[in-house]
Amino acid sequence: MDFDRVDDFENVEMTYVSFLSRGYISKNKHIFDRIKLTSFTKFILKSCIYGTPVFKMGNSGKKLLVLSGIHGNELPPQLANLELMNELYGKKLNNTVYFIPFASPKSTMNNERSFNDVDLNRSAHITNSLSNKIIQLIEELKIDFVGDFHSTAYNSNPGFEAVFSSKNPTPESFLMANYVSDSVGSEIITYDIAGSLYRGAVEDVCNLRGTPAITCEVLSPFASIGKGSFERSLKQMKSFLTYFGF
Ligand SMILES: [Zn+2]
């Protein structure tokens, strides 16, 4: 997987996971109206016109992935990931951070959960599905830890702010989830064995294949940004990074 330097933004590198998932984030007013249009953000949004971009900052220490937009209609974490990227841009990092702010720009553009009628969090185990391409990237880059950030509405699953993890076969998932839960106050949900409830979640597939991963959820209505949800998601992301000594 080759990353290209980004001319206008020093120390940022990027590549694409897929070109089939391209979309105009600006067409989704529910998120676009909330986005601070820095020059860096404009560049990120422009990249989404061509596919699912992956960005890299830093060049040492652990390799971490901050992932959002696996469900295109879960907007708070996608907004938070943009904010996180802007806050970390230009800073000296002691770890290597990869960012996928919009896993499926097309789904975000359409403000819908699925990508071409496929739920990306039920299909990461299916070879060459869009989320499986993200898994392939994670393995090729030898990423050490994955944080997958979502939002959940009342009366959906789980319906409250939470951190999902599992104890087997990758116990670091559980340790990391405990840390985030303790520091942010999100409820912890842990399974004994990854993927035992249903198949194909990005977090589970990572854990089953030996890359520790957690799924973080904040409470917000689907397809919009509930009050305080962006801030909570950003807090979860920062806690995930702080676990590694940021
Ligand atoms: Zn979700």
Side-chain angles (χ1 to χ4, degrees):
M1 183 63 61
D2 292 325
F3 277 72
D4 295 318
R5 295 219 158 269
V6 176
D7 286 344
D8 293 340
F9 301 98
E10 220 185 316
N11 300 322
V12 178
E13 295 174 53
M14 72 170 296
T15 189
Y16 284 92
V17 175
S18 168
F19 297 107
L20 302 173
S21 49
R22 60 185 179 269
Y24 292 87
I25 305 300
S26 59
K27 287 193 176 170
N28 182 345
K29 294 283 164 238
H30 298 276
I31 186 164
F32 189 68
D33 287 352
R34 290 285 306 269
I35 293 174
K36 271 185 266 164
L37 288 175
T38 64
S39 55
F40 188 34
T41 296
K42 282 183 197 165
F43 170 75
I44 296 164
L45 298 184
K46 213 169 145 191
S47 308
C48 292
I49 295 170
Y50 305 99
T52 299
V54 186
F55 302 91
K56 177 186 175 192
M57 293 185 213
N59 234 324
S60 58
K62 296 281 187 200
K63 294 177 175 179
L64 316 173
L65 171 64
V66 182
L67 172 62
S68 54
I70 282 289
H71 291 138
N73 66 346
E74 298 175 3
L75 304 180
Q78 301 178 69
L79 187 64
N81 206 346
L82 280 181
E83 175 66 23
L84 183 70
M85 290 181 70
N86 274 280
E87 285 188 20
L88 292 182
Y89 172 65
K91 303 238 161 52
K92 196 167 161 28
L93 305 180
N94 52 4
N95 288 299
T96 306
V97 190
Y98 295 89
F99 304 86
I100 301 180
F102 302 100
S104 168
K106 183 181 175 185
S107 310
T108 305
M109 170 175 75
N110 295 334
N111 219 354
E112 61 194 12
R113 178 181 173 90
S114 299
F115 167 65
N116 295 347
D117 294 326
V118 175
D119 186 329
L120 297 180
N121 222 22
R122 300 290 184 274
S123 56
H125 60 310
I126 298 169
T127 305
N128 290 336
S129 71
L130 179 55
S131 46
N132 184 257
K133 295 255 189 201
I134 293 173
I135 300 287
Q136 292 175 33
L137 175 99
I138 289 165
E139 296 190 332
E140 209 177 312
L141 295 173
K142 299 186 166 57
I143 286 178
D144 293 298
F145 288 89
V146 173
D148 184 17
F149 296 85
H150 290 244
S151 62
T152 177
Y154 278 116
N155 299 320
S156 71
N157 178 30
F160 51 87
E161 186 180 303
V163 187
F164 283 92
S165 69
S166 54
K167 290 180 181 166
N168 294 292
T170 306
E172 292 94 330
S173 163
F174 178 59
L175 298 177
M176 186 164 42
N178 263 304
Y179 175 84
V180 173
S181 171
D182 280 353
S183 65
V184 181
S186 313
E187 198 145 332
I188 189 162
I189 301 174
T190 302
Y191 296 96
D192 277 340
I193 299 169
S196 44
L197 205 60
Y198 49 77
R199 298 186 73 194
V202 170
E203 173 213 333
D204 289 330
V205 174
C206 287
N207 283 322
L208 287 169
R209 297 191 186 187
T211 304
I214 55 172
T215 303
C216 296
E217 302 267 2
V218 294
L219 194 60
S220 172
F222 291 123
S224 68
I225 296 170
K227 196 170 184 302
S229 59
F230 152 74
E231 292 81 359
R232 296 297 297 167
S233 190
L234 185 59
K235 231 176 156 169
Q236 288 177 331
M237 287 175 183
K238 288 183 176 175
S239 171
F240 169 70
L241 295 181
T242 306
Y243 182 74
F244 305 96
F246 269 79

